[in-house]
């Protein structure tokens, strides 16, 4: 029979109902999908699909929020990093930390200013190498590029300066050289759109002449030839690109300029179209089968309305994932909810959150129907597997949590600045009352018989099913100075079927959660345990490679061992 752990652990068949007031507040309804993060302000989304997951990247508004002392308006000037989230089910999102663009582009010197509005893509080269490219707005004056061999990095700047600026052929005159949108066609050729701002000397409100389109060289880090103009009506910002049915689909945000019926009617007649004029700050789209010819672009209409107060602007990305199209955009509901609860200063303004709703697209035409934006968002497209290791940073909702990178924690850190490199070593700091919700865990008919928590510190953690105020289905008490694995027995009859699972911390002292995993019950309900013989400690690097025992190791390593009672342990430690 399974031997009990030496740590203090208790399974509670019944317990007193915890008062909901003892848990940290939520600024997102547990039944809603939007925003994707209940704790991180982020905006200007873009996305890619990789190995069955969708990775979403965005402007790190939270960096400005922290810089401003959690008050005042979002001036964007101190945003020098990009956030990364990913999901397999569109409901539970894993936070992978941030890309420290300012650090990566330090060799640019004065040329680097900020990192906004990313666009991302990836490819496999002829020799089988996977390459990921992230383009970003370097404030309003240029476009930069980063490169990696995985969707979370490590990233690097392949250039010592911006990729596109005012000296790039075909760019001038362009008011703002920013907001890139990138796509790779079926032939492996890269293309990029960018630009924005108010009309230049030769532009008008209807035709600002600030949208640009260009071919990329095979390196994906330079323009091939000269950029051309996209004649996008009422164009302002937020370029993105898709390819549907061999046609290029260019999406952008329209301006705040006055729309005059006479101007629009003349434009419709000239272009031979029937589309209505776009509302202010709406997401519009154009289609072309010969994108380097400005006259080939046809305006199709609005597909994304302005989300309304309290969003100061609009930016979206249309992405096909697992057979369906999704509309990623930013909005201000998290900021508004926190203001209403007086959790943040009333002076806060312009801190945005990434949201997602389904989109209806006819690829043959192509045509994009107007998207409905709401807090409901999208439902889970599949169930979560509790028998796979799940990162603590994966959640549908949360309260009272913060993120830190295991490799970059400093003593007396009071707030997370979210300025670390994207990392596989993110962990979640949880205080008394903190909680995490993971939606649609499928425990199956047999149910789960064990629960493993990888954590550090001292805490009591309750697992509650269905709702945050439910009785605990299981409780674990533990204490450890190192990041270790703790396993307890649980009542499999309670952990059957598909459940929404709340992990609630009822007591904590310097507690960090890294990951957790359930173990499915055997058919006969008996759990076997390996022998209790203590084995030699073995160390591994973060890629899983075994490290020699007779050599000192630097940085973060993973240590595995079995104690004298036969309990297996895995922990992260810092080498010498």
């Amino acid at each position: 029979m399974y031997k009990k752990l030496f740590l203090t652990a208790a399974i509670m068949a019944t317990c007193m109902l915890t008062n909901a007031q003892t848990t940290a507040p939520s600024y997102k309804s547990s039944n809603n999908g939007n925003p994707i993060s209940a704790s991180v302000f982020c905006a200007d989304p873009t996305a890619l699909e990789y190995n069955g997951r969708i990775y979403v990247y965005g402007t790190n508004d939270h960096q400005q929020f922290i810089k401003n002392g959690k008050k005042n308006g979002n001036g964007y000037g101190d945003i020098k990093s990009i956030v990364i989230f990913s999901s397999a089910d569109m409901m539970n999102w894993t936070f992978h930390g941030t890309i420290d663009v300012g650090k990566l582009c330090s060799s640019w010197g004065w040329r680097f200013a900020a990192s906004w509005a990313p666009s991302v893509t990836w490819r496999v080269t002829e020799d089988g190498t996977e390459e990921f490219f992230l383009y970003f707005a370097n404030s309003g004056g240029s476009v930069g590029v980063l490169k990696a061999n995985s969707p979370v990095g490590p990233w690097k700047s392949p250039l010592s300066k911006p990729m596109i600026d005012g000296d790039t052929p075909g760019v001038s005159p362009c008011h703002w050289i920013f907001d890139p949108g990138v796509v790779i066609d079926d032939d492996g050729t890269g293309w990029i759109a960018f630009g924005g701002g108010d009309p230049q000397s030769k532009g008008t409100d209807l035709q600002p002449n600030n949208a640009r389109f260009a071919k990329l060289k095979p390196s994906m880090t330079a323009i091939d030839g000269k950029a051309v103009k996209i004649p996008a009506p009422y164009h302002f910002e937020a370029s993105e690109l898709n390819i549907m049915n061999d046609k290029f689909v260019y999406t952008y945000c329209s301006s705040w300029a006055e729309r005059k019926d006479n101007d629009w009617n003349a434009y419709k007649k000239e272009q031979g179209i029937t589309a209505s004029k776009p509302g202010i700050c709406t997401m519009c789209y154009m289609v072309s089968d010969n994108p380097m010819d400005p006259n080939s672009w046809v305006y199709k209409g609005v597909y994304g309305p302005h989300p309304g107060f309290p969003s100061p602007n609009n930016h979206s990305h249309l992405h096909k994932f697992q057979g369906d199209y999704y509309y990623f955009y930013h909005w201000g509901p998290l900021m508004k909810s926190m203001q209403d609860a007086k959790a943040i200063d009333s002076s806060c303004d312009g801190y945005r959150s990434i949201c997602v709703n389904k989109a209806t697209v006819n690829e043959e035409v192509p045509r994009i129907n107007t998207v409905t934006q709401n807090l409901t968002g999208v439902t889970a497209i599949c169930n979560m597997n509790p028998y796979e290791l799940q990162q603590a940073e994966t959640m549908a909702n949360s309260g009272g949590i913060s993120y830190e990178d295991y490799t970059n924690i400093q003593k007396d850190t009071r707030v997370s600045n979210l300025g670390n490199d994207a990392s596989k070593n993110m962990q979640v700091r949880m205080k008394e009352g903190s909680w995490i919700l993971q939606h649609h865990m499928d425990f199956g008919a047999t149910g789960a018989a064990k629960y493993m928590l990888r954590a550090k510190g001292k805490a009591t953690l309750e697992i509650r099913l269905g709702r945050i105020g439910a009785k605990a289905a299981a409780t674990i008490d533990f204490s450890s100075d190192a990041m270790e694995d703790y396993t307890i027995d649980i009542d499999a009859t309670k952990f059957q079927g598909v459940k929404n699972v709340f992990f609630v911390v009822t007591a904590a002292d310097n507690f960090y959660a890294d990951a957790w995993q359930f173990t499915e019950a055997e058919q006969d309900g008996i759990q076997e345990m390996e022998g209790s013989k203590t084995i030699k400690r073995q160390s591994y690097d973060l890629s899983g490679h075994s490290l020699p025992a007779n050599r000192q190791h630097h940085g973060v390593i993973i240590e595995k061992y079995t104690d004298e009672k036969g309990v297996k342990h895995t922990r992260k430690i810092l080498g010498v």
Side-chain angles (χ1 to χ4, degrees):
M1 298 296 290
Y2 178 71
K3 298 186 177 181
K4 299 294 183 180
L5 293 178
F6 70 94
L7 60 94
T8 305
I11 309 305
M12 301 179 65
T14 59
C15 70
M16 296 181 61
L17 182 65
T18 302
N19 189 327
Q21 293 180 349
T22 63
T23 58
S26 173
Y27 304 107
K28 167 185 173 180
S29 170
S30 293
N31 295 321
N32 287 342
N34 285 327
I36 67 171
S37 175
S39 58
V40 178
F41 292 119
C42 47
D44 306 322
T46 188
L48 61 80
E49 180 179 353
Y50 179 73
N51 282 355
R53 297 185 69 85
I54 189 165
Y55 289 80
V56 176
Y57 305 74
T59 304
N60 187 8
D61 279 17
H62 213 89
Q63 189 172 26
Q64 187 72 64
F65 177 66
I66 296 298
K67 182 72 173 181
N68 287 355
K70 302 183 180 182
K71 57 185 178 181
N72 299 328
N74 183 0
Y76 314 121
D78 291 301
I79 300 176
K80 304 178 190 300
S81 56
I82 301 291
V83 299
I84 307 179
F85 290 86
S86 76
S87 179
D89 57 23
M90 298 297 294
M91 177 64 76
N92 298 288
W93 292 91
T94 301
F95 180 54
H96 295 281
T98 64
I99 306 171
D100 191 344
V101 185
K103 178 181 178 181
L104 295 174
C105 298
S106 59
S107 64
W108 294 15
W110 61 270
R111 294 181 179 88
F112 177 79
S115 57
W116 310 333
S119 185
V120 68
T121 190
W122 71 287
R123 68 181 182 184
V124 178
T125 62
E126 291 183 356
D127 64 0
T129 301
E130 295 178 343
E131 294 182 328
F132 295 78
F133 298 91
L134 186 146
Y135 304 82
F136 65 93
N138 180 35
S139 188
S142 61
V143 171
V145 60
L146 302 177
K147 185 178 179 181
N149 292 118
S150 88
V152 296
W155 296 87
K156 64 180 181 180
S157 174
L159 306 175
S160 59
K161 62 179 182 179
M163 187 183 81
I164 301 172
D165 58 23
D167 294 329
T168 302
V171 170
S172 183
C174 181
H175 196 108
W176 295 336
I177 306 169
F178 78 157
D179 284 13
V182 65
V183 71
I184 297 176
D185 66 22
D186 291 340
D187 295 327
T189 302
W191 305 88
I192 191 167
F194 58 95
D198 297 322
Q200 293 287 26
S201 57
K202 296 182 180 180
T204 65
D205 285 343
L206 195 151
Q207 283 293 356
N209 291 333
N210 282 319
R212 298 291 185 270
F213 185 90
K215 181 181 179 181
L216 293 172
K217 289 184 177 181
S219 67
M220 297 288 289
T221 60
I223 298 296
D224 188 356
K226 180 180 179 181
V228 298
K229 178 182 68 176
I230 301 178
Y234 296 108
H235 175 269
F236 191 62
E237 59 184 346
S239 298
E240 273 285 21
L241 288 171
N242 288 83
I243 295 179
M244 303 177 191
N245 193 26
D246 295 326
K247 291 181 171 60
F248 286 78
V249 179
Y250 171 59
T251 60
Y252 67 94
C253 180
S254 67
S255 70
W256 300 83
E258 179 185 0
R259 273 62 160 159
K260 297 178 180 179
D261 288 340
N262 289 340
D263 290 345
W264 187 254
N265 290 334
Y267 174 77
K268 286 201 303 179
K269 183 177 180 180
E270 174 189 293
Q271 298 294 317
I273 62 174
T274 60
S276 301
K277 63 179 182 290
I280 60 172
C281 204
T282 52
M283 298 305 305
C284 309
Y285 73 107
M286 302 184 77
V287 174
S288 170
D289 56 9
N290 185 20
M292 294 300 289
D293 176 9
N295 295 323
S296 70
W297 288 96
V298 178
Y299 178 80
K300 292 292 187 177
V302 171
Y303 75 102
H306 184 269
F309 179 81
S311 265
N313 51 22
N314 207 351
H315 196 119
S316 73
H317 174 68
L318 189 69
H319 201 90
K320 191 176 185 179
F321 177 61
Q322 302 295 324
D324 290 310
Y325 275 95
Y326 295 91
Y327 175 73
F328 292 90
Y329 60 102
H330 64 231
W331 194 10
L334 181 62
M335 182 189 71
K336 180 65 166 55
S337 179
M338 294 176 72
Q339 285 178 329
D340 291 345
K342 301 187 184 305
I344 60 175
D345 194 278
S346 60
S347 66
C348 285
D349 182 53
Y351 298 107
R352 303 158 295 178
S353 296
I354 292 177
C355 300
V356 59
N357 286 89
K358 288 194 75 171
T360 302
V361 176
N362 184 333
E363 295 178 326
E364 295 298 318
V365 178
R367 183 177 65 245
I368 312 170
N369 290 358
T370 302
V371 177
T372 298
Q373 301 168 169
N374 54 45
L375 292 176
T376 302
V378 298
T379 56
I381 63 174
C382 62
N383 294 326
M384 175 180 279
N385 184 355
Y387 306 124
E388 293 180 351
L389 185 69
Q390 301 292 346
Q391 296 300 313
E393 309 87 61
T394 302
M395 59 193 74
N397 201 353
S398 63
I401 63 103
S402 60
Y403 300 98
E404 290 186 7
D405 186 321
Y406 184 83
T407 65
N408 201 20
I409 295 176
Q410 298 178 357
K411 292 183 178 180
D412 302 323
T413 298
R414 299 182 182 180
V415 296
S416 172
N417 62 11
L418 297 182
N420 302 316
D421 291 340
S423 174
K424 296 180 181 178
N425 303 299
M426 292 297 296
Q427 57 186 14
V428 180
R429 182 165 190 172
M430 302 180 75
K431 304 175 293 184
E432 181 177 338
S434 296
W435 56 273
I436 287 171
L437 166 63
Q438 291 184 331
H439 261 285
H440 291 81
M441 278 196 187
D442 188 358
F443 292 98
T446 305
K450 299 179 187 177
Y451 170 70
M452 183 279 291
L453 172 66
R454 182 172 297 163
K456 172 185 176 182
K458 183 177 182 179
T460 298
L461 177 76
E462 292 186 356
I463 306 175
R464 305 178 187 176
L465 305 178
R467 58 190 180 87
I468 196 168
K471 294 181 179 180
T475 300
I476 180 169
D477 299 305
F478 61 89
S479 178
S480 174
D481 293 331
M483 188 69 72
E484 294 199 33
D485 292 0
Y486 298 87
T487 303
I488 61 170
D489 292 321
I490 58 178
D491 184 349
T493 63
K494 295 181 180 180
F495 292 86
Q496 296 175 339
V498 179
K499 308 284 187 183
N500 290 339
V501 181
F502 291 84
F503 300 93
V504 183
V505 175
T506 58
D509 182 11
N510 201 30
F511 169 56
Y512 296 88
D514 181 54
W516 35 57
Q517 184 175 14
F518 290 87
T519 300
E520 191 170 9
E522 300 288 343
Q523 291 294 329
D524 59 5
I526 299 176
Q527 299 297 309
E528 297 294 334
M529 184 65 187
E530 295 184 11
S532 60
K533 182 180 178 181
T534 302
I535 65 171
K536 185 178 180 181
R537 294 175 185 263
Q538 179 63 56
S539 298
Y540 303 83
D541 64 20
L542 295 179
S543 298
H545 298 121
S546 177
L547 298 174
N550 58 353
R551 187 181 305 168
Q552 292 183 331
H553 309 293
H554 299 274
V556 180
I557 60 177
I558 299 172
E559 184 182 70
K560 295 184 178 182
Y561 67 96
T562 301
D563 66 21
E564 66 278 3
K565 295 187 177 181
V567 178
K568 292 185 176 181
H569 296 264
T570 302
R571 63 178 185 172
K572 295 176 183 175
I573 60 175
L574 286 172
V576 295

